[in-house]
mmCIF file of all heavy atoms in Angstrom:
data_model
loop_
_atom_site.group_PDB
_atom_site.id
_atom_site.type_symbol
_atom_site.label_atom_id
_atom_site.label_comp_id
_atom_site.label_asym_id
_atom_site.label_seq_id
_atom_site.Cartn_x
_atom_site.Cartn_y
_atom_site.Cartn_z
ATOM 1 N N ALA K 42 108.774 53.328 -10.927
ATOM 2 C CA ALA K 42 108.258 52.018 -10.516
ATOM 3 C C ALA K 42 108.288 51.954 -8.999
ATOM 4 O O ALA K 42 109.352 52.100 -8.382
ATOM 5 C CB ALA K 42 109.108 50.898 -11.118
ATOM 6 N N ILE K 69 117.834 49.785 -26.601
ATOM 7 C CA ILE K 69 117.265 50.397 -25.400
ATOM 8 C C ILE K 69 118.398 50.985 -24.565
ATOM 9 O O ILE K 69 119.397 50.321 -24.303
ATOM 10 C CB ILE K 69 116.488 49.372 -24.552
ATOM 11 C CG1 ILE K 69 115.311 48.812 -25.346
ATOM 12 C CG2 ILE K 69 116.011 50.008 -23.249
ATOM 13 C CD1 ILE K 69 114.555 47.721 -24.615
ATOM 14 N N ASP K 122 118.995 36.973 -29.678
ATOM 15 C CA ASP K 122 117.980 36.901 -30.724
ATOM 16 C C ASP K 122 117.468 35.472 -30.865
ATOM 17 O O ASP K 122 116.281 35.251 -31.108
ATOM 18 C CB ASP K 122 118.547 37.366 -32.066
ATOM 19 C CG ASP K 122 118.804 38.867 -32.105
ATOM 20 O OD1 ASP K 122 118.376 39.576 -31.178
ATOM 21 O OD2 ASP K 122 119.444 39.320 -33.080
ATOM 22 N N ASP K 156 89.221 53.164 -29.529
ATOM 23 C CA ASP K 156 90.202 52.606 -30.462
ATOM 24 C C ASP K 156 90.712 51.253 -29.964
ATOM 25 O O ASP K 156 90.843 50.302 -30.736
ATOM 26 C CB ASP K 156 91.383 53.555 -30.662
ATOM 27 C CG ASP K 156 91.028 54.745 -31.537
ATOM 28 O OD1 ASP K 156 90.004 54.690 -32.261
ATOM 29 O OD2 ASP K 156 91.776 55.746 -31.487
#
Side-chain angles (χ1 to χ4, degrees):
I69 298 176
D122 289 350
D156 285 342

